[in-house]
Amino acid sequence: MSAKLGLPDETVRRARALAARVGAPVVELAKAHTTVAVERATLRLAGLAGADPDGTPWANLLLDAVRSGLGEDALPHGVALPVWDALVRGEADDLGVLAQKAAAGSVRFRLPAGVDAERARSAARQQVGHGLARVDARRAERDHLLATIGDAPRQPWIYLIVATGDIHEDIPQAQAAAREGADVIAVIRSTGQSLLDYVPEGATREGFAGTYATQENFRLMRAALDETSRELGRYVRLTNYASGLCMPEIAVLAGLERLDMMLNDSMYGILFRDINPVRTFVDQRFSRQVHARAGIVINTGEDNYLTTADAIEAAHTVTTSQLLNEYFAREAGLSDDLLGLGHAFEIDPAVPDSFRLELAHALLARELFPDAPLKWMPPTRHMTGDVFRGYLLDGFFNLAGALTGQGILLVGMMTEAVVTPFLSDRDLALQNVRYVLEAAGRLHEDFHPAPDGVIVQRAHRVLAESIDLMERICEHEHGLLDAIADGTFGLMRRPADGGRGLEGVAERAPGYHNPATELLEEEPA
């Protein structure tokens, strides 16, 4: 789209420079720490899979055994050296057997030095490298399917959620949605999974308002959508959630099973799941490096801020978060075409000129991030249960997405706040989207807001408020961490020394080694 807001280049550069000033100390913090989830993700990249008869993953059991054997020295040095030292010494033939023996207490772990350490590093790097090669192969597979089957016929991509709790019920619903026009299928996770410090195993048939994210569920859904893609002659993308306490592990599993998008916001887990900020920033950097390697589009969660804060008063915090998410994502290696930055249609419809304000906010995001496939989220906060009003609001939401050139349009449901959608609700919602995109999909070509009008002036004001906010954040002693603790985003106060998962964070020791982080920092061969 051509620029329509007249945003001064100098102002946009100023905003990005401030985002870098705010974000850089957080990146350095992430580089200086590790977490139990990062270490378990490394084991999974090396091929460790499965769980014991009680359902506890072998990755958890092996890491726990290393920490039990080495005490406080274990996590700061990383799991790789003691684990591959044990393999080189012949404690087990492979990683799976080692995990089983370690869980039984029959493996002696140590921190190797000298030649022994070099042998362990070499073995670890080779095995983790094989895992990354599998991720590379799955990315190439996606590229081949897009070239041979074909891509979605237009943007925005139509994004629809399914999740019954039973993966075997999700599959036919997802396939039906694709046949009715959905370009992206999101399988929402079971309530509370983000607070589990392990990844469940196998195909699951019970969930709570969602379906558990597991490697087997990923595999089953991807295979089913590949079948439907060939039937329809267009590649259907699959989305899940890389957030919560197991963010790095789920990112690895997504890369191994060729998922296409992952929910992965830099602050969502902090604000809305009370996960420790340091834990979150360390985990999100690693997970975004994996997503970059796998060619996975991330979806950020700025829309959630507007469910707790006013969409007009807090609009500048959404823009600030988008700029920070962009900085963190680029630093982790994600290209702009993989940045599904989020925002939402959440202004109270009773506010005069609410639609003009929505257009201002949406167009601001589009022009600040011209190459990003922006994710446009439907109204939820002001859905009252009146399905006729809700259907009309969703139509206006769809029109705003078309007018402002959004990249990913999440299908709104008129039964929001009433029931979990029925198949018939989804069918009507897809009809709404199809009508708007077919009737007005190119209307943005004729949409030129007045230079001195409400839309342009509002967009300039929001950007100015975002710049002011980032300048204030820079004045804090601990920058972004202090701003999060003060309730700047989403009105949630989350101190850096609180929240879930803090016990799973460690500052890296001088001898820390992780072959996954080393390989992800390097350019792929």
Side-chain angles (χ1 to χ4, degrees):
M1 290 180 62
S2 60
K4 300 175 181 180
L5 294 175
L7 300 174
D9 291 343
E10 183 179 347
T11 302
V12 174
R13 285 194 297 269
R14 172 70 174 156
R16 283 199 164 86
L18 282 167
R21 279 184 60 192
V22 172
V26 175
V27 171
E28 293 308 308
L29 179 77
K31 289 180 176 180
H33 290 77
T34 188
T35 72
V36 291
V38 167
E39 301 303 320
R40 294 194 303 251
T42 302
L43 295 173
R44 289 181 180 274
L45 266 176
L48 185 58
D52 74 357
D54 295 324
T56 304
W58 291 120
N60 288 65
L61 291 168
L62 181 52
L63 178 59
D64 289 348
V66 173
R67 296 182 76 185
S68 176
L70 298 180
E72 293 183 357
D73 285 338
L75 195 55
H77 286 84
V79 73
L81 286 180
V83 163
W84 272 273
D85 172 66
L87 288 170
V88 170
R89 288 188 285 111
E91 292 274 4
D93 293 333
D94 59 49
L95 204 52
V97 174
L98 182 72
Q100 295 175 44
K101 292 179 68 175
S106 58
V107 176
R108 178 178 63 85
F109 292 105
R110 66 175 187 173
L111 280 173
V115 174
D116 290 337
E118 286 304 315
R119 288 172 178 162
R121 285 191 187 94
S122 177
R125 183 182 175 92
Q126 182 180 32
Q127 200 160 349
V128 172
H130 290 325
L132 284 173
R134 289 176 58 200
V135 171
D136 294 340
R138 299 313 302 269
R139 179 173 186 167
E141 191 175 79
R142 180 194 301 117
D143 292 341
H144 175 73
L145 290 171
L146 283 166
T148 56
I149 295 176
D151 203 347
R154 67 162 78 89
Q155 278 198 327
W157 292 330
I158 300 172
Y159 177 116
L160 190 135
I161 292 173
V162 301
T164 66
D166 182 344
I167 188 63
H168 295 293
E169 290 293 328
D170 291 342
I171 286 171
Q173 291 200 18
Q175 292 177 312
R179 293 184 184 108
E180 291 300 314
D183 303 308
V184 183
I185 299 296
V187 183
I188 199 168
R189 286 193 308 184
S190 179
T191 298
Q193 184 175 351
S194 59
L195 303 183
L196 299 179
D197 214 344
Y198 68 95
V199 180
E201 189 70 23
T204 60
R205 307 207 66 170
E206 293 182 354
F208 304 92
T211 302
Y212 285 104
T214 74
Q215 184 170 7
E216 179 63 6
N217 285 349
F218 289 176
R219 187 191 69 79
L220 289 169
M221 184 61 81
R222 180 66 274 167
L225 291 180
D226 283 351
E227 178 183 316
T228 306
S229 296
R230 293 185 179 92
E231 171 193 329
L232 298 175
R234 59 180 172 85
Y235 184 72
V236 180
R237 289 171 169 82
L238 174 59
T239 302
N240 212 283
Y241 293 67
S243 58
L245 292 171
C246 292
M247 188 191 307
E249 294 175 88
I250 293 177
V252 166
L253 299 180
L256 292 171
E257 299 301 335
R258 192 173 30 89
L259 271 69
D260 306 287
M261 294 186 190
M262 296 297 283
L263 278 288
N264 185 248
D265 185 76
S266 62
M267 292 188 284
Y268 174 84
I270 300 168
L271 300 176
F272 300 101
R273 294 295 180 264
D274 194 20
I275 295 173
N276 174 259
V278 180
R279 171 79 176 256
T280 298
F281 284 125
V282 177
D283 285 350
Q284 70 92 19
R285 182 172 188 268
F286 182 94
S287 65
R288 288 185 176 192
Q289 289 179 307
V290 174
H291 291 328
R293 185 68 174 252
I296 290 174
V297 176
I298 65 165
N299 294 170
T300 61
E302 285 82 4
D303 56 286
N304 293 281
Y305 302 175
L306 305 183
T307 63
T308 54
D310 182 80
I312 297 176
E313 294 177 1
H316 65 292
T317 68
V318 169
T319 301
T320 300
S321 178
Q322 290 168 337
L323 287 161
L324 291 172
N325 262 311
E326 178 193 57
Y327 170 77
F328 290 134
R330 286 176 168 178
E331 188 281 329
L334 285 156
S335 53
D336 286 359
D337 62 313
L338 299 179
L339 304 188
L341 301 172
H343 56 142
F345 189 95
E346 289 286 17
I347 297 174
D348 185 344
V351 172
D353 286 328
S354 64
F355 188 66
R356 295 167 85 186
L357 297 176
E358 293 283 15
L359 290 174
H361 297 172
L363 196 54
L364 174 62
R366 178 70 285 161
E367 295 200 2
L368 281 177
F369 312 101
D371 299 319
L374 300 178
K375 184 181 177 187
W376 183 225
M377 300 289 285
T380 58
R381 185 176 182 178
H382 298 289
M383 297 291 271
T384 63
D386 179 341
V387 295
F388 301 104
R389 178 178 181 272
Y391 201 66
L392 179 62
L393 275 180
D394 285 336
F396 271 73
F397 157 77
N398 295 332
L399 179 59
L403 277 172
T404 59
Q406 302 303 303
I408 303 165
L409 191 148
L410 195 149
V411 177
M413 295 292 155
M414 64 284 193
T415 49
E416 180 77 38
V418 182
V419 295
T420 299
F422 294 105
L423 287 174
S424 56
D425 300 334
R426 293 196 181 110
D427 183 60
L428 286 169
L430 285 166
Q431 287 184 40
N432 190 329
V433 176
R434 287 199 304 270
Y435 169 72
V436 171
L437 294 185
E438 289 169 7
R442 298 176 62 184
L443 189 57
H444 62 83
E445 297 173 5
D446 300 317
F447 173 51
H448 299 281
D452 58 349
V454 170
I455 292 171
V456 171
Q457 295 305 311
R458 174 61 184 170
H460 281 248
R461 178 179 173 182
V462 171
L463 181 56
E465 290 176 350
S466 174
I467 288 172
D468 289 343
L469 174 58
M470 288 189 285
E471 287 174 340
R472 294 198 302 274
I473 292 174
C474 288
E475 293 172 359
H476 286 299
E477 180 182 359
H478 298 106
L480 184 58
L481 293 177
D482 284 347
I484 293 169
D486 290 344
T488 299
F489 300 95
L491 303 180
M492 300 294 181
R493 298 178 183 272
R494 305 300 190 199
D497 60 354
R500 298 176 173 90
L502 177 59
E503 69 284 352
V505 181
E507 187 171 1
R508 293 183 185 182
Y512 176 80
H513 177 68
N514 186 318
T517 57
E518 283 187 1
L519 289 164
L520 289 168
E521 295 280 358
E522 300 172 2
E523 290 290 331

